[in-house]
Coordinates of all heavy atoms in Angstrom, one line a residue:
A827 N 16.7 57.0 105.1 CA 16.1 56.2 103.9 C 17.2 55.3 103.3 O 17.8 55.6 102.2 CB 15.6 57.2 102.9
P828 N 17.6 54.3 104.0 CA 18.7 53.4 103.5 C 18.3 52.5 102.4 O 17.1 52.2 102.2 CB 19.0 52.5 104.8 CG 17.7 52.4 105.5 CD 17.0 53.8 105.3
F829 N 19.3 52.1 101.6 CA 19.1 51.1 100.5 C 20.4 50.5 100.2 O 21.5 51.0 100.5 CB 18.5 51.9 99.2 CG 19.5 52.9 98.7 CD1 20.5 52.6 97.8 CD2 19.6 54.2 99.3 CE1 21.4 53.5 97.3 CE2 20.5 55.1 98.8 CZ 21.4 54.8 97.9
G830 N 20.4 49.4 99.5 CA 21.7 48.7 99.2 C 22.5 48.5 100.4 O 22.0 48.3 101.5
M831 N 23.9 48.6 100.2 CA 24.8 48.5 101.3 C 24.6 49.6 102.4 O 24.8 50.8 102.0 CB 26.2 48.4 100.9 CG 26.5 47.3 99.9 SD 26.4 45.7 100.8 CE 26.9 44.6 99.5
T832 N 24.2 49.2 103.6 CA 24.1 50.2 104.7 C 24.8 49.6 105.8 O 24.3 49.0 106.7 CB 22.5 50.4 105.0 OG1 21.9 50.8 103.8 CG2 22.3 51.4 106.1
L833 N 26.1 49.7 105.8 CA 27.0 48.9 106.6 C 27.7 49.8 107.6 O 28.0 51.0 107.4 CB 28.0 48.2 105.8 CG 27.5 47.3 104.7 CD1 28.6 46.7 103.9 CD2 26.6 46.2 105.3
G834 N 28.0 49.3 108.8 CA 28.8 50.0 109.8 C 28.2 51.4 110.1 O 27.1 51.5 110.6
G835 N 29.0 52.4 109.8 CA 28.5 53.8 110.0 C 27.2 54.1 109.3 O 26.4 54.9 109.8
G836 N 26.9 53.4 108.2 CA 25.7 53.6 107.5 C 24.5 53.2 108.4 O 23.5 53.9 108.5
S837 N 24.7 52.1 109.1 CA 23.6 51.6 110.0 C 23.5 52.5 111.2 O 22.5 52.8 111.7 CB 23.9 50.2 110.5 OG 23.7 49.3 109.4
E838 N 24.7 53.0 111.7 CA 24.7 53.9 112.8 C 24.0 55.2 112.6 O 23.5 55.8 113.5 CB 26.2 54.2 113.2 CG 26.8 52.9 113.9 CD 28.3 53.2 114.3 OE1 29.1 53.5 113.5 OE2 28.5 53.1 115.5
V839 N 24.0 55.7 111.3 CA 23.2 56.9 111.0 C 21.7 56.6 111.0 O 20.9 57.5 111.4 CB 23.6 57.4 109.6 CG1 22.6 58.4 109.0 CG2 25.0 57.9 109.5
C840 N 21.3 55.4 110.7 CA 19.9 55.1 110.6 C 19.3 54.8 112.0 O 18.2 55.2 112.3 CB 19.7 53.8 109.7 SG 20.2 54.1 108.0
L841 N 20.0 54.0 112.8 CA 19.5 53.5 114.1 C 18.9 54.6 115.0 O 17.9 54.4 115.7 CB 20.5 52.7 114.8 CG 20.8 51.3 114.2 CD1 22.0 50.7 114.8 CD2 19.6 50.4 114.4
P842 N 19.6 55.8 115.1 CA 19.0 56.8 116.0 C 17.9 57.7 115.4 O 17.3 58.5 116.1 CB 20.2 57.7 116.4 CG 21.2 57.5 115.3 CD 20.9 56.2 114.7
A843 N 17.5 57.5 114.2 CA 16.5 58.3 113.5 C 15.1 58.0 114.1 O 14.9 56.9 114.6 CB 16.5 58.0 112.0
A844 N 14.2 59.0 114.0 CA 12.9 58.9 114.5 C 12.1 57.7 113.7 O 11.2 57.1 114.3 CB 12.1 60.2 114.4
H845 N 12.5 57.5 112.5 CA 11.9 56.5 111.6 C 12.8 56.1 110.6 O 13.6 56.9 110.1 CB 10.6 57.2 111.0 CG 9.8 56.3 110.1 ND1 8.9 55.5 110.6 CD2 9.9 56.1 108.7 CE1 8.3 54.8 109.5 NE2 8.9 55.1 108.4
I846 N 12.8 54.8 110.2 CA 13.6 54.3 109.1 C 12.6 53.9 108.0 O 11.7 53.2 108.2 CB 14.5 53.1 109.5 CG1 15.5 53.6 110.6 CG2 15.2 52.6 108.3 CD1 16.3 52.4 111.1
Q847 N 12.8 54.5 106.8 CA 12.1 54.1 105.6 C 13.1 53.4 104.7 O 13.8 54.1 104.0 CB 11.4 55.3 104.9 CG 10.5 54.9 103.7 CD 9.2 54.2 104.1 OE1 8.7 54.4 105.2 NE2 8.8 53.2 103.3
A848 N 13.1 52.1 104.7 CA 14.2 51.4 104.0 C 13.6 50.9 102.7 O 12.5 50.5 102.5 CB 14.6 50.2 104.8
S849 N 14.5 50.9 101.7 CA 14.2 50.2 100.4 C 14.2 48.7 100.7 O 14.9 48.2 101.6 CB 15.3 50.5 99.4 OG 15.1 49.7 98.2
S850 N 13.3 48.0 100.0 CA 13.2 46.5 100.2 C 14.5 45.8 100.1 O 14.8 44.9 100.8 CB 12.2 46.0 99.1 OG 12.0 44.6 99.4
E851 N 15.4 46.3 99.1 CA 16.7 45.7 99.0 C 17.7 46.5 99.8 O 18.5 47.4 99.3 CB 17.1 45.6 97.5 CG 16.2 44.8 96.7 CD 16.1 43.3 97.2 OE1 17.1 42.8 97.7 OE2 15.0 42.7 97.0
T852 N 17.7 46.3 101.1 CA 18.6 47.0 102.0 C 19.4 46.0 102.8 O 18.8 45.1 103.4 CB 17.8 47.9 103.0 OG1 17.1 48.9 102.3 CG2 18.8 48.6 103.9
Y853 N 20.7 46.1 102.8 CA 21.6 45.1 103.4 C 22.3 45.8 104.6 O 23.3 46.5 104.4 CB 22.6 44.6 102.4 CG 21.9 44.3 101.0 CD1 22.2 44.9 99.9 CD2 20.8 43.4 101.0 CE1 21.5 44.6 98.7 CE2 20.1 43.1 99.9 CZ 20.5 43.8 98.7 OH 19.8 43.5 97.5
M854 N 21.7 45.7 105.8 CA 22.1 46.4 107.0 C 22.9 45.5 107.9 O 22.6 44.4 108.1 CB 20.9 47.0 107.8 CG 20.3 48.2 107.2 SD 18.9 48.8 108.2 CE 19.7 50.1 109.1
G855 N 24.0 46.1 108.5 CA 24.7 45.3 109.5 C 25.8 46.2 110.0 O 26.4 47.1 109.4
L856 N 26.1 45.9 111.3 CA 27.3 46.5 112.0 C 28.5 45.6 111.8 O 28.6 44.6 112.5 CB 27.0 46.8 113.5 CG 25.9 47.9 113.7 CD1 25.5 47.8 115.2 CD2 26.4 49.3 113.3
V857 N 29.3 45.9 110.8 CA 30.3 44.9 110.3 C 31.8 45.2 110.7 O 32.7 44.7 110.2 CB 30.2 44.8 108.8 CG1 28.8 44.2 108.4 CG2 30.4 46.1 108.1
E858 N 31.9 46.1 111.7 CA 33.2 46.6 112.0 C 34.2 45.5 112.5 O 35.4 45.7 112.3 CB 33.1 47.7 113.1 CG 32.6 49.0 112.6 CD 31.1 49.1 112.6 OE1 30.4 48.0 112.8 OE2 30.5 50.2 112.4
V859 N 33.7 44.4 113.1 CA 34.7 43.4 113.5 C 35.5 42.8 112.3 O 36.6 42.3 112.5 CB 33.9 42.2 114.3 CG1 33.3 42.7 115.6 CG2 32.8 41.6 113.4
G860 N 34.9 42.9 111.1 CA 35.6 42.4 110.0 C 36.9 43.2 109.7 O 37.8 42.7 109.0
V861 N 37.0 44.4 110.2 CA 38.3 45.2 110.0 C 38.9 45.4 111.4 O 39.7 46.3 111.6 CB 38.0 46.5 109.3 CG1 37.7 46.3 107.9 CG2 36.9 47.3 110.0
G862 N 38.7 44.5 112.3 CA 39.4 44.5 113.6 C 38.9 45.6 114.6 O 39.6 45.9 115.5
L863 N 37.7 46.1 114.4 CA 37.2 47.2 115.3 C 35.8 46.8 115.8 O 35.3 45.7 115.5 CB 37.1 48.5 114.5 CG 38.4 49.0 113.8 CD1 38.0 50.2 112.9 CD2 39.4 49.4 114.8
I864 N 35.2 47.7 116.6 CA 33.8 47.6 117.0 C 33.1 48.9 116.5 O 33.9 49.9 116.2 CB 33.6 47.4 118.5 CG1 34.1 48.6 119.3 CG2 34.4 46.1 118.9 CD1 33.6 48.6 120.7
P865 N 31.8 48.9 116.5 CA 31.2 50.2 116.1 C 31.6 51.3 117.0 O 31.8 51.1 118.2 CB 29.7 49.9 116.3 CG 29.6 48.4 116.1 CD 30.8 47.8 116.7
G866 N 31.9 52.5 116.4 CA 32.4 53.6 117.2 C 31.5 54.8 117.2 O 31.7 55.8 117.9
G867 N 30.4 54.8 116.4 CA 29.5 56.0 116.3 C 28.2 55.8 117.1 O 27.2 56.4 116.8
G868 N 28.3 55.0 118.2 CA 27.1 54.8 119.0 C 26.3 53.6 118.6 O 25.2 53.4 119.1
G869 N 26.8 52.8 117.7 CA 26.0 51.7 117.1 C 25.7 50.6 118.1 O 24.6 50.0 118.1
N870 N 26.6 50.3 119.1 CA 26.3 49.3 120.1 C 25.1 49.7 120.9 O 24.2 48.9 121.1 CB 27.6 49.1 121.0 CG 28.8 48.8 120.1 OD1 29.0 47.8 119.6 ND2 29.7 49.8 120.0
L871 N 25.2 50.9 121.4 CA 24.1 51.4 122.3 C 22.8 51.5 121.4 O 21.7 51.1 121.9 CB 24.5 52.8 122.8 CG 23.3 53.7 123.4 CD1 22.8 52.9 124.6 CD2 23.9 55.0 123.8
A872 N 22.9 52.0 120.2 CA 21.7 52.3 119.4 C 21.0 50.9 119.1 O 19.7 50.8 119.1 CB 22.0 53.0 118.1
L873 N 21.7 49.9 118.8 CA 21.1 48.6 118.5 C 20.5 48.0 119.8 O 19.4 47.4 119.8 CB 22.1 47.6 117.9 CG 21.6 46.3 117.4 CD1 20.5 46.5 116.3 CD2 22.7 45.4 116.8
Y874 N 21.2 48.1 120.9 CA 20.7 47.6 122.2 C 19.4 48.3 122.5 O 18.4 47.7 122.9 CB 21.7 48.0 123.3 CG 21.4 47.5 124.7 CD1 21.4 46.1 124.9 CD2 21.2 48.3 125.8 CE1 21.1 45.6 126.2 CE2 20.9 47.8 127.0 CZ 20.9 46.5 127.3 OH 20.6 46.0 128.5
E875 N 19.3 49.6 122.3 CA 18.0 50.4 122.5 C 17.0 50.0 121.5 O 15.8 50.0 121.9 CB 18.3 51.9 122.4 CG 19.1 52.5 123.6 CD 19.1 54.0 123.6 OE1 19.5 54.6 122.6 OE2 18.6 54.6 124.6
K876 N 17.3 49.7 120.3 CA 16.3 49.3 119.3 C 15.7 48.0 119.7 O 14.5 47.7 119.6 CB 17.0 49.1 117.9 CG 16.1 49.1 116.8 CD 15.8 50.5 116.2 CE 15.0 50.5 115.0 NZ 14.6 51.8 114.5
F877 N 16.5 47.0 120.3 CA 16.0 45.8 120.9 C 15.0 46.1 122.0 O 13.9 45.5 122.1 CB 17.1 44.9 121.4 CG 17.6 43.9 120.4 CD1 18.6 44.4 119.4 CD2 17.3 42.6 120.4 CE1 19.1 43.5 118.5 CE2 17.8 41.7 119.4 CZ 18.7 42.2 118.5
L878 N 15.4 47.0 122.9 CA 14.5 47.3 124.1 C 13.2 47.9 123.6 O 12.2 47.7 124.2 CB 15.3 48.3 125.0 CG 16.5 47.7 125.7 CD1 17.2 48.8 126.6 CD2 16.0 46.6 126.7
K879 N 13.3 48.8 122.6 CA 12.0 49.4 122.1 C 11.0 48.4 121.6 O 9.8 48.7 121.6 CB 12.4 50.4 120.9 CG 12.8 51.7 121.4 CD 13.1 52.6 120.2 CE 13.8 53.9 120.5 NZ 14.3 54.6 119.3
G880 N 11.4 47.3 121.2 CA 10.5 46.3 120.6 C 9.7 45.5 121.7 O 8.9 44.7 121.4
I881 N 10.1 45.8 123.0 CA 9.4 45.0 124.0 C 8.3 45.8 124.6 O 8.4 47.0 125.0 CB 10.4 44.7 125.1 CG1 11.5 43.7 124.5 CG2 9.7 44.0 126.3 CD1 12.7 43.5 125.5
P882 N 7.0 45.3 124.7 CA 5.9 46.1 125.1 C 6.0 46.5 126.6 O 6.7 45.8 127.4 CB 4.7 45.1 125.0 CG 5.2 44.0 124.1 CD 6.7 43.9 124.3
N883 N 5.4 47.5 127.0 CA 5.4 48.0 128.4 C 4.7 46.9 129.3 O 3.8 46.2 128.9 CB 4.5 49.3 128.5 CG 5.3 50.4 127.9 OD1 6.5 50.5 127.8 ND2 4.5 51.4 127.4
G884 N 5.3 46.8 130.5 CA 4.7 45.9 131.4 C 5.2 44.4 131.3 O 4.8 43.6 132.1
V885 N 6.0 44.2 130.3 CA 6.5 42.8 130.1 C 7.9 42.8 130.8 O 8.8 43.7 130.6 CB 6.7 42.5 128.6 CG1 7.4 41.2 128.4 CG2 5.3 42.5 128.0
D886 N 8.2 41.7 131.5 CA 9.5 41.6 132.2 C 10.6 41.5 131.1 O 10.4 40.7 130.1 CB 9.5 40.3 133.1 CG 8.8 40.6 134.4 OD1 8.5 41.8 134.7 OD2 8.4 39.6 135.0
I887 N 11.6 42.2 131.3 CA 12.7 42.2 130.3 C 13.9 41.4 130.7 O 14.4 41.5 131.8 CB 13.2 43.7 130.0 CG1 12.0 44.5 129.5 CG2 14.4 43.7 129.0 CD1 12.4 46.0 129.3
D888 N 14.3 40.5 129.9 CA 15.5 39.6 130.1 C 16.7 40.4 129.5 O 17.0 40.2 128.3 CB 15.3 38.2 129.5 CG 16.4 37.3 129.8 OD1 17.5 37.8 130.3 OD2 16.3 36.1 129.6
Y889 N 17.3 41.2 130.3 CA 18.4 42.1 129.7 C 19.5 41.2 129.2 O 20.2 41.6 128.3 CB 18.8 43.1 130.8 CG 17.8 44.2 131.0 CD1 16.9 44.1 132.1 CD2 17.8 45.2 130.2 CE1 16.0 45.1 132.3 CE2 16.9 46.3 130.4 CZ 16.0 46.2 131.4 OH 15.0 47.2 131.7
Q890 N 19.8 40.1 129.9 CA 20.9 39.2 129.5 C 20.6 38.7 128.1 O 21.5 38.6 127.2 CB 21.1 38.1 130.4 CG 22.3 37.2 130.1 CD 23.6 37.9 130.2 OE1 23.9 38.5 131.2 NE2 24.3 38.0 129.0
A891 N 19.4 38.2 127.8 CA 19.0 37.7 126.5 C 19.2 38.7 125.4 O 19.7 38.5 124.3 CB 17.6 37.2 126.5
I892 N 18.8 40.0 125.7 CA 19.0 41.1 124.8 C 20.4 41.4 124.5 O 20.9 41.5 123.4 CB 18.2 42.3 125.2 CG1 16.7 42.1 125.1 CG2 18.6 43.6 124.4 CD1 15.8 43.1 125.7
A893 N 21.2 41.5 125.6 CA 22.6 41.8 125.5 C 23.3 40.7 124.7 O 24.2 41.0 123.8 CB 23.3 41.9 126.9
T894 N 22.9 39.4 124.9 CA 23.5 38.3 124.1 C 23.2 38.4 122.6 O 24.1 38.3 121.8 CB 23.0 37.0 124.7 OG1 23.4 36.9 126.1 CG2 23.6 35.8 123.9
K895 N 21.9 38.8 122.4 CA 21.5 38.9 120.9 C 22.2 40.0 120.2 O 22.7 39.9 119.1 CB 20.0 39.1 120.9 CG 19.3 38.8 119.6 CD 19.2 37.3 119.4 CE 18.6 37.1 118.0 NZ 18.8 35.7 117.6
V896 N 22.4 41.2 120.9 CA 23.1 42.3 120.4 C 24.6 41.9 120.1 O 25.2 42.2 119.1 CB 23.0 43.6 121.3 CG1 23.8 44.7 120.8 CG2 21.5 44.0 121.3
F897 N 25.2 41.3 121.1 CA 26.6 40.9 121.0 C 26.8 40.0 119.8 O 27.7 40.2 119.0 CB 27.0 40.2 122.3 CG 28.4 39.6 122.3 CD1 29.5 40.4 122.4 CD2 28.5 38.2 122.2 CE1 30.8 39.8 122.4 CE2 29.8 37.6 122.1 CZ 30.9 38.4 122.2
E898 N 25.9 39.0 119.7 CA 26.0 38.0 118.6 C 25.9 38.7 117.2 O 26.6 38.5 116.3 CB 25.0 36.9 118.7 CG 25.3 35.9 119.8 CD 24.1 34.9 120.0 OE1 23.0 35.1 119.4 OE2 24.3 34.0 120.8
T899 N 24.9 39.6 117.1 CA 24.6 40.4 115.9 C 25.8 41.1 115.4 O 26.2 41.1 114.3 CB 23.4 41.3 116.1 OG1 22.3 40.5 116.5 CG2 23.1 42.1 114.8
I900 N 26.5 41.8 116.4 CA 27.6 42.6 116.1 C 28.9 41.8 115.9 O 29.7 41.9 114.9 CB 27.9 43.7 117.1 CG1 26.6 44.6 117.2 CG2 29.1 44.6 116.8 CD1 26.7 45.7 118.3
A901 N 29.1 40.8 116.8 CA 30.3 40.0 116.8 C 30.4 39.1 115.5 O 31.4 38.9 115.0 CB 30.4 39.1 118.0
L902 N 29.2 38.7 115.0 CA 29.2 37.8 113.8 C 28.9 38.7 112.6 O 28.8 38.1 111.5 CB 28.1 36.8 113.9 CG 28.2 35.8 115.1 CD1 27.0 34.9 115.2 CD2 29.5 35.0 114.9
A903 N 28.9 40.0 112.7 CA 28.7 41.0 111.6 C 27.5 40.5 110.8 O 27.5 40.5 109.6 CB 30.0 41.0 110.8
K904 N 26.4 40.2 111.5 CA 25.2 39.8 110.8 C 24.7 40.9 109.9 O 24.4 42.0 110.3 CB 24.1 39.4 111.8 CG 24.3 38.1 112.4 CD 23.1 37.7 113.3 CE 23.3 36.3 114.0 NZ 22.1 36.0 114.8

Side-chain angles (χ1 to χ4, degrees):
F829 63 93
M831 297 295 183
T832 303
L833 306 175
S837 289
E838 288 181 299
V839 167
C840 297
L841 286 168
H845 180 86
I846 299 174
Q847 184 67 36
S849 173
S850 185
E851 298 302 327
T852 299
Y853 316 120
M854 284 184 101
L856 293 167
V857 297
E858 287 83 352
V859 293
V861 289
L863 303 172
I864 67 167
N870 307 285
L871 168 61
L873 189 59
Y874 186 65
E875 286 191 303
K876 200 85 173 177
F877 270 79
L878 291 175
K879 276 183 193 170
I881 296 170
N883 290 331
V885 174
D886 286 340
I887 299 174
D888 184 345
Y889 288 96
Q890 185 61 59
I892 290 173
T894 301
K895 200 74 180 163
V896 173
F897 175 74
E898 288 173 354
T899 301
I900 300 173
L902 299 173
K904 284 186 181 177

